[in-house]
Amino acid sequence: MKKNGSVILAIIFMFLVLFLGLSLLNFTLVHNRVVKARNIHQTRSELLHNLLIFHLHKDTEKIINIRFNSSIDDCKDHFNNMLYPDSKTDSAEIKKSFLFYSRDLLLFKLIKVNFGIESISSNRRHKWKSESIFNIFTGDLPFSFLPVLINSGKYNISDEKFIKGLLPSTEKHHIFISDHKSVFDIQSYLAKLLGLDRENVNLIAIKQLFEQADNESEFRDGIYFALSAEKAGPVFVQGNAEKIILSTENEYQIIEIIQSNNYFKIKYSGEQFHYETGGKSGNEHKTFNGKIIVNGNVDIFEAGSDPALAIDSHPELIILGNLNICSSITGSITTAYYNPRPSITILLAASPFSIKYSIPVLRFGCAGPLIIHGSININGSVINDTPEVQISGNLYCRDLKNKGKIKVTPVKKFKPPSIDNLYIKNLTIIKDFRTELIEEIFEDEK
């Protein structure tokens, strides 16, 4: 009996060993299948992902570097499957699509474009997709919409290569060399700021506006402040200014103007300001519009503190002559994301108060790097004598002479000074290209 029992136990043990062996073999086979499937999936996923990224990169470069000769009526002529074709191989398929949403504004049309790419496996059960968005502005465009716009009035390809060579630090797709007609109607803009008819923008009207004595034959040099029960500003400087200084004190913006024996200072924030001029001063609970008009040259424009621009401050300097920028003019960049950061707007044009036409010149001149947070718009020439200039905003001019480096970086939420007086006609540009989504999708995902 014992011998029979031992044989039975041995047989049972052998069956258990065989069962465990078969189980381990089955587990190994299943594991190998899982690993193989995972490797196949990973290889296929990498293939689909890399194929998507290749097409996305290639098409992004093509889109952001496109140049339009004029305004456009139908985006489908420029963004379609003929110009951005689908493709197919044995292992994958690429499909591309464009959706357009247009909106007519005052002088131009805004078209939002949704650009989608799908990289689909041959079994159609697995894919990667991307979604990108960009804006098309077409029509009469404010200067500040373009990072760099050099509009000399004449154009050829050699000029474009030469000017882009003067801006080696600026991304090439941010530089526009144009011979399109531009509108720089400083007379109409001044009329709006001063509350005058365009035909009456002359020194006689300015003299009456600031109540200078009628027995004086000329509008004498000085610093004048438009202040009434309804409005505060602009400040009008008749004649050359020796110096304009921007500085800050806590949340307050400070602007100082020095002209021979004349001095003006205003300190403002929100709906209150304090000013000093001509031996008198005052406090007012109203909003200063931040506009400074100089009918003459400004020898020195500089910062009196760092930062020079207060939070939520956007002063505007309108120079009817030449301007020398002698230091950085910057604001804090730590403002809330939904507020535009502090900035300066600079406009230079020939004076409409003079019968002698003179092309204005803005000159950058200081020893160290010079940084400007703002919009610079010159109906004339820019001369850079500084080793390095960085502009966060835009630069518009008719001519550029650069002895150093100029880098212009566009800034979002930048409000143009006047869309109906300062713009370039019949142009189309692409802005704000961004890829918002890249994701992997399987057949059971909706």
Side-chain angles (χ1 to χ4, degrees), residues 141-364:
L141 305 182
F143 300 142
S144 57
F145 276 27
L146 294 91
V148 179
L149 175 58
I150 314 294
N151 189 33
S152 63
K154 56 178 189 265
Y155 170 84
N156 60 63
I157 192 67
S158 61
D159 287 340
E160 179 166 343
K161 290 180 179 179
F162 174 74
I163 292 173
K164 287 187 175 182
L166 294 175
L167 298 160
S169 301
T170 301
E171 293 187 35
K172 294 296 180 277
H173 65 275
H174 287 157
I175 303 172
F176 293 79
I177 316 299
S178 173
D179 59 355
H180 287 241
K181 182 179 179 181
S182 64
V183 174
F184 207 115
D185 191 353
I186 200 69
Q187 187 165 337
S188 293
Y189 188 47
L190 290 173
K192 181 168 65 175
L193 294 181
L194 295 167
L196 300 171
D197 294 332
R198 188 183 188 281
E199 294 72 21
N200 290 332
V201 177
N202 53 58
L203 290 182
I204 295 175
I206 299 295
K207 178 181 173 182
Q208 294 173 348
L209 182 66
F210 292 107
E211 299 178 345
Q212 194 180 84
D214 289 335
N215 58 3
E216 295 188 25
S217 59
E218 295 184 357
F219 184 45
R220 65 176 182 272
D221 288 356
I223 305 172
Y224 303 89
F225 185 26
L227 180 60
S228 66
E230 296 80 25
K231 65 179 183 178
V235 176
F236 190 95
V237 181
Q238 172 62 12
N240 298 334
E242 294 177 5
K243 187 179 291 188
I244 296 179
I245 306 168
L246 296 187
S247 58
T248 60
E249 182 180 310
N250 299 321
E251 75 276 16
Y252 289 94
Q253 178 69 60
I254 301 172
I255 302 176
E256 296 174 89
I257 304 171
I258 301 170
Q259 182 199 52
S260 300
N261 297 322
N262 299 314
Y263 175 78
F264 177 88
K265 177 181 179 181
I266 188 164
K267 175 180 174 181
Y268 64 95
S269 175
E271 296 183 352
Q272 60 178 331
F273 63 84
H274 172 80
Y275 72 97
E276 302 172 17
T277 182
K280 63 179 182 180
S281 62
N283 293 292
E284 297 285 344
H285 291 280
K286 60 181 68 172
T287 301
F288 171 55
N289 68 7
K291 316 288 186 183
I292 307 292
I293 303 169
V294 180
N295 187 34
N297 302 325
V298 177
D299 296 334
I300 297 174
F301 178 48
E302 65 181 5
S305 67
D306 183 18
L309 300 169
I311 294 175
D312 296 330
S313 177
H314 306 277
E316 185 174 309
L317 198 61
I318 303 164
I319 310 299
L320 308 176
N322 302 327
L323 173 66
N324 296 316
I325 299 181
C326 302
S327 78
S328 295
I329 306 293
T330 61
S332 171
I333 62 173
T334 58
T335 55
Y337 75 95
Y338 47 81
N339 285 337
R341 74 182 187 185
S343 61
I344 178 78
T345 295
I346 298 174
L347 302 176
L348 254 71
S351 175
F353 305 109
S354 173
I355 59 174
K356 182 180 179 181
Y357 183 82
S358 177
I359 297 175
V361 175
L362 180 143
R363 186 183 298 272
F364 297 114

Side-chain angles (χ1 to χ4, degrees), residues 12-30:
I12 292 172
F13 177 74
M14 289 178 64
F15 272 108
L16 287 174
V17 170
L18 179 62
F19 177 77
L20 289 173
L22 291 173
S23 297
L24 288 172
L25 178 61
N26 183 63
F27 175 80
T28 301
L29 292 173
V30 172

